[in-house]
Amino acid sequence: MWTGSRFIQGFGYALIVSSVASVIGGLPETSERTLGYSLWITTYAIGAGAGPLIGRAFVGMDAYTMLFWLPAAVALACGVLATALLRGITLGQASSTKVDVASSALAFVGFGLFVAGLQSHGAAFGRLLTTVAGCLVLAVFCTRQLRSRDPLIDVRMLSFSRLGAPSLALVVSSASYTGSAFLFSAEADSLLSIVPVSVLALWVSLGGFAFHKLQARFTAVHMLQVSLATCAVGLIVAAFVGLWPASFLIGLGVGVSMASGDAYLLGSVPPKDVARAAALQETALAVGAALGVAGFGGIFAATGSVVRTAVITAVIIAVLVAALRCNRGVFKA
């Protein structure tokens, strides 16, 4: 029942985020879109940071049922507001007329196996086989999408190009956010000890507004490079200095990289393709969020050390920064 409820929640979440991306991407003025992306990342970060605090508080009060009733009430209120305020908003000119059930099943099974293999539970050999099986199923899914006239996710947009580069940056920045939150709360045993997670969310919000101020002065590739490098430095600081300065660096880097990645991804397509690009953007964020918890958790389980986990993930992010630098010409195409 828990797995089924999470599946339904995730489906609704994906529709919400893709719809928001389509609305923002369809705004006529560049300044409006930039502000929209900043506000989006800000509210996203605040919600993600408030969740652990609220949940931990309710658990401490033994009010488990409120963990389900309160979000349901908030969702209902937001639905009423959306109905009242967004009646005249369109989500682009998507031309899809049917749901590809086979592709949906392949994506669900393949990504589920892939993430399950990264989890820290079970024998290492079994997790390895599960991860490989997930990769094979996802390969079949990608092949099917390449041959489809109406793909579920247009993977042809994912070549390392104007769309592929910011999508990859979104995956890594989203993973940095959720993975860092995992590391910060790995040894938390009280409400006070989980406060750095919410502080991290506040700094992500600051990064979103920093993008709004900086995007007119710096190129997209420079903003992505510097913001992701800031995440890597923040992880090193978390390993050897402390969580509070690390949360500032990681949050600022994640906020700028996510906002700039969203803006560049959705701003690089014509209006008729905004909805499709929004689906690609939501996929990147969701993949990153899952990989952050599963990947950081897997490394932490293998090494048994927060320090080693932070250093290894910082190196991975540094490799991406180098790749962006070597391929920065795609942003000028």
Side-chain angles (χ1 to χ4, degrees), residues 220-255:
V221 65
H222 286 152
M223 293 187 68
L224 286 176
Q225 286 176 342
V226 173
S227 58
L228 289 173
T230 303
C231 290
V233 172
L235 287 168
I236 298 296
V237 171
F240 298 106
V241 180
L243 295 184
W244 293 100
S247 68
F248 172 75
L249 293 172
I250 296 172
L252 191 64
V254 166

Side-chain angles (χ1 to χ4, degrees), residues 65-80:
T65 56
M66 288 299 295
L67 292 175
F68 303 97
W69 286 108
L70 182 61
V74 173
L76 180 62
C78 290
V80 173

Side-chain angles (χ1 to χ4, degrees), residues 73-156:
V74 173
L76 180 62
C78 290
V80 173
L81 287 175
T83 302
L85 301 176
L86 302 178
R87 291 181 177 179
I89 300 296
T90 59
L91 300 181
Q93 303 173 2
S95 59
S96 179
T97 57
K98 63 180 181 179
V99 176
D100 190 341
V101 178
S103 293
S104 301
L106 286 172
F108 177 77
V109 173
F111 189 62
L113 288 172
F114 179 71
V115 173
L118 295 177
Q119 300 291 335
S120 58
H121 307 289
F125 183 70
R127 299 202 310 269
L128 177 62
L129 288 180
T130 303
T131 303
V132 172
C135 290
L136 292 176
V137 175
L138 289 175
V140 175
F141 167 77
C142 291
T143 301
R144 181 181 177 87
Q145 298 307 290
L146 289 172
R147 296 178 178 177
S148 175
R149 294 182 179 180
D150 185 19
L152 179 67
I153 299 175
D154 196 349
V155 296
R156 289 165 293 193

Side-chain angles (χ1 to χ4, degrees), residues 2 42 44 84 98 100 102 114 133 135 162 172 174 188 211-212 220 222 226 240 242 250 262 278-279 296 312 315:
W2 177 250
T42 298
Y44 169 85
K98 63 180 181 179
D100 190 341
F114 179 71
C135 290
R162 289 172 64 91
V172 175
S174 179
F211 163 75
H212 176 57
H222 286 152
V226 173
F240 298 106
I250 296 172
D262 288 335
F296 277 59
I312 291 172
V315 171

Side-chain angles (χ1 to χ4, degrees), residues 234-303:
L235 287 168
I236 298 296
V237 171
F240 298 106
V241 180
L243 295 184
W244 293 100
S247 68
F248 172 75
L249 293 172
I250 296 172
L252 191 64
V254 166
V256 174
S257 61
M258 290 181 70
S260 57
D262 288 335
Y264 202 83
L265 176 63
L266 298 175
S268 299
V269 297
K272 65 183 183 65
D273 292 329
V274 167
R276 180 163 291 179
L280 179 62
Q281 172 263 2
E282 161 55 17
T283 301
L285 288 177
V287 168
L291 289 182
V293 177
F296 277 59
I299 297 173
F300 179 71
T303 62

